[in-house]
Amino acid sequence: MLSFSPVSRRLLCSLIVIGMIGGTAVSAVQGAEKDPQSDRAASRALEFLAREQRRQGYWEANSGQYRVAMTALCGIALLTEGSTTTRGKYARNVSRAVDFLLDTAQPGGLIGYADDYHYTYGHGFSMLFLSEVYGEEEDEERRRQIKTVLEKAVRFSAEAQTTKGGWGYVSARDGNDFDEGSTCVTQVQGLRACRNAGIPVPREIIDRAKQYIHECLSPEGGVQYSIRGGGARAPITAAAVASMFSAGDYGESDDVRRMLDYCKSNIWPQGGAIKANGFGHWHYLHYYYAQVMYRDEELWPKYYNELKQVLLATQSADGSWQDAQVGNVYVTAINLTILQLEKGYLPSYQR
């Protein structure tokens, strides 16, 4: 694999889009800048997240929960703005987030805390965030630290995988081999990001995860809560498609085609107009479905325009979005990521 470290991949992308290849490429950032409403909403949300970061570098959900997961998600949102650990308006925020997550990494590979009963979420999101940082990090010592943490994190995920190929809220050993769909998604995306960054990831881990998703499919093409059942769920199905895209399946397999059809029938467009609701996992659903739709260049503009209108109408005066269950930091981070997908900075979210 070619390595551009410590040279920034963003610099390379910038050179390409301003005309080094044929002189006709147009940057995704230029397209995003044509939408001042989204830019203003994103700027306000970025400022909210910057204010909410704790001195030690972390963010947290309601009641001080999920510090690792929230820190990774907020870090991803800042990266989608274009900042790195050394460059951009939020470089210091990104750097402090990286330091916090590196400090939480355990000798056994877990990025997080063993007494957190949902630690696989934070572990998966942290692999994704740190992998994106790794490709941009210019400090050699910190690159070595990140690489070591990610190599151990991959091994931890492999050992945490259940006998069926999924993941639960904790490792298979700690959770009596329990698995469920949403945690599986975070691991697959995190592992794929590691692989993209040059961290070795055994192919059989991803292959087993794909088989797990296959066995979770309902007759109508939706993904169940768990391999044990629980009924097809639109949010998990959208997340599963996003994870399969991350794993390199963009609709070639029958499984992904069936899941996409389920999403079109149950989410959008046949599922109806996009409307915010005060229950369930609306933000989670569109966080992943936006990643799916962004790769559909024909449908993305219409879907994004509808989704954007809901996001703009529901943003609070302080720049956040409100969520009573997990917290404002959580939904603000994922909505901000949606609003900035078109900037095209993160390889994991690019077309």
Side-chain angles (χ1 to χ4, degrees), residues 156-163 165-167 171-172 177 204-206 208-209:
F156 180 87
S157 285
E159 294 168 359
Q161 197 169 23
T162 67
T163 56
W167 285 269
S171 71
D177 211 36
E204 58 266 24
I205 303 176
I206 305 299
R208 293 182 64 220

Side-chain angles (χ1 to χ4, degrees), residues 166-187:
W167 285 269
Y169 301 123
V170 295
S171 71
R173 179 188 63 255
D174 295 339
N176 297 317
D177 211 36
F178 170 80
D179 52 55
E180 65 93 46
S182 65
T183 51
C184 182
V185 169
T186 63
Q187 300 308 299

Side-chain angles (χ1 to χ4, degrees), residues 162-236:
T162 67
T163 56
K164 296 293 186 179
W167 285 269
Y169 301 123
V170 295
S171 71
R173 179 188 63 255
D174 295 339
N176 297 317
D177 211 36
F178 170 80
D179 52 55
E180 65 93 46
S182 65
T183 51
C184 182
V185 169
T186 63
Q187 300 308 299
V188 173
Q189 286 200 321
L191 289 166
R192 180 66 183 200
C194 287
R195 183 177 178 184
N196 289 345
I199 306 299
V201 177
R203 181 169 181 172
E204 58 266 24
I205 303 176
I206 305 299
D207 288 343
R208 293 182 64 220
K210 288 182 177 180
Q211 182 62 30
Y212 171 84
I213 292 173
H214 171 77
E215 293 182 18
C216 284
L217 282 178
S218 67
E220 64 268 33
V223 178
Q224 301 179 135
Y225 167 70
S226 169
I227 205 167
R228 297 168 176 81
R233 303 190 180 185
I236 294 180

